[in-house]
Amino acid sequence: MDGVTTPAGGHVAEWLAHGGLVPVARVPGGELAAVAAAADFAVLPVGAVEWHGPHLPLGTDLILAEGFAAESARASADGAAPSGGGTPDGAAPPAAGPRGVLFPAVAYAACPGQTRPWPGTVAIRPEIAVGYLADVIEGIVAAGFPRLLIVNGHDANMSTVRAAMEWVSGRRTASLLLVNWFQLVTPAETTELYGPQVSRGHGGAYETSGVLGFDPGAVRLGAVDDLPPKPKLPVTHPYVLVESRPDPWQGWSGHISLADEPAGRRVRELAGTRLREVVAAWVAAAPPAPPTADPLPDSSPGVGPLLPEGGS
């Protein structure tokens, strides 16, 4: 994966000096404490194995979650190394980026009723997803990583991951940051990229472009014709609408003819830059205080002692 350093030989020294990502799965157990002490944060991609139409891979959400996870610790905005492998004469070396430790992605997720019947979707129950994610997140924190960035590629994960984060935050001292790549590019910007036709939807032009930005060989643009999605409600207020089958629908919908590789590169650039901005602000912020088991201590300002039942 682009942007990930394998911790062998001098690579850990390079990671210490220049930042980037080290995959925890390749860190020897005896070196974990030192790597954790040097890390600015850990990263957990969360995706899904889910039908996105004939034109997109079943691992679409994993490609996006893992791809943007790798973008989170790049040293430069474009993530590119200088041509020739060195720094041009007279040019300053690239600034060091943050040091991240990459955990293996969570591949399976709760999936909505609109995609569960379609071939290739592997769905787990929401209550299982929350419990599993709570254990994974707490395990990463307990391993020495109190700052954990969770990069999401599957919209249904937002509720299950949030619930798991809230649970862990009451048990461990932790700063848990959840970022959904889909929200890092604004609707106004996708309108600028694709025009007035709807582009933001499951398997639509925006998501297709996102995959093209990381793995263009995985996309089959000619496999489908456009399937214009059902219009949104004609209101400006925020809402969440869940329907059994939002016709027109084939497990996906959208104007795929609007997607191409240049748009994919632009989506990757915009979302990657903003993810790094969020991470930089988060890493620079003060860490949280530990959770408390005593929500109303006697010494809290403005809070009197608890009275026995019937007391006055």
Side-chain angles (χ1 to χ4, degrees):
M1 185 191 304
D2 291 346
V4 179
T5 298
T6 301
H11 287 301
V12 168
E14 181 181 342
W15 174 72
L16 289 169
H18 301 296
L21 287 183
V22 163
V24 77
R26 302 295 296 277
V27 174
E31 299 176 19
L32 177 62
V35 168
D40 294 306
F41 60 96
V43 190
L44 176 66
V46 290
V49 177
E50 182 185 33
W51 168 265
H52 282 75
H55 57 299
L56 285 174
L58 296 171
T60 285
D61 296 336
L62 282 167
I63 291 170
L64 292 164
E66 292 180 321
F68 282 110
E71 293 282 322
S72 67
R74 288 196 184 278
S76 61
D78 60 9
S83 61
T87 300
D89 291 343
R99 291 187 292 267
V101 176
L102 178 67
F103 277 76
V106 174
Y108 301 104
C111 293
Q114 296 99 318
T115 61
R116 285 203 303 272
W118 296 86
T121 296
V122 180
I124 61 176
R125 285 165 286 160
E127 65 272 23
I128 300 298
V130 173
Y132 178 74
L133 287 162
D135 286 349
V136 170
I137 293 168
E138 185 165 21
I140 294 171
V141 173
F145 301 95
R147 286 189 189 266
L148 174 61
L149 167 67
I150 302 172
V151 180
N152 182 39
H154 174 64
D155 188 63
N157 287 334
M158 293 300 287
S159 55
T160 54
V161 172
R162 172 70 184 270
M165 289 166 59
E166 297 286 3
W167 172 256
V168 173
S169 70
R171 293 167 53 85
R172 299 273 182 175
T173 302
S175 179
L176 308 172
L177 177 65
L178 172 59
V179 178
N180 189 7
W181 82 269
F182 201 89
Q183 296 171 317
L184 291 170
V185 180
T186 68
E189 287 167 332
T190 49
T191 298
E192 184 179 341
L193 270 174
Y194 303 108
Q197 290 181 310
V198 176
S199 58
R200 300 171 75 96
H202 182 73
Y206 175 43
E207 189 167 27
T208 299
S209 296
V211 178
L212 286 168
F214 290 102
D215 190 355
V219 180
R220 304 289 184 267
L221 288 176
V224 291
D225 295 322
D226 287 352
L227 182 64
K230 181 178 180 177
K232 292 186 177 295
L233 300 180
V235 298
T236 58
H237 320 303
Y239 63 89
V240 174
L241 176 64
V242 176
E243 295 184 310
S244 55
R245 188 183 173 100
D247 286 330
W249 182 253
Q250 294 179 11
W252 70 279
S253 64
H255 298 92
I256 305 306
S257 61
L258 301 175
D260 56 25
E261 288 189 46
R265 290 190 292 271
R266 181 60 176 155
V267 166
R268 177 175 176 174
E269 176 191 9
L270 279 173
T273 297
R274 282 159 191 176
L275 176 59
R276 287 186 291 274
E277 291 172 354
V278 173
V279 168
W282 171 57
V283 168
T292 177
D294 185 4
L296 293 174
D298 292 346
S299 59
S300 294
V303 177
L306 295 178
L307 298 174
E309 277 191 48
S312 60

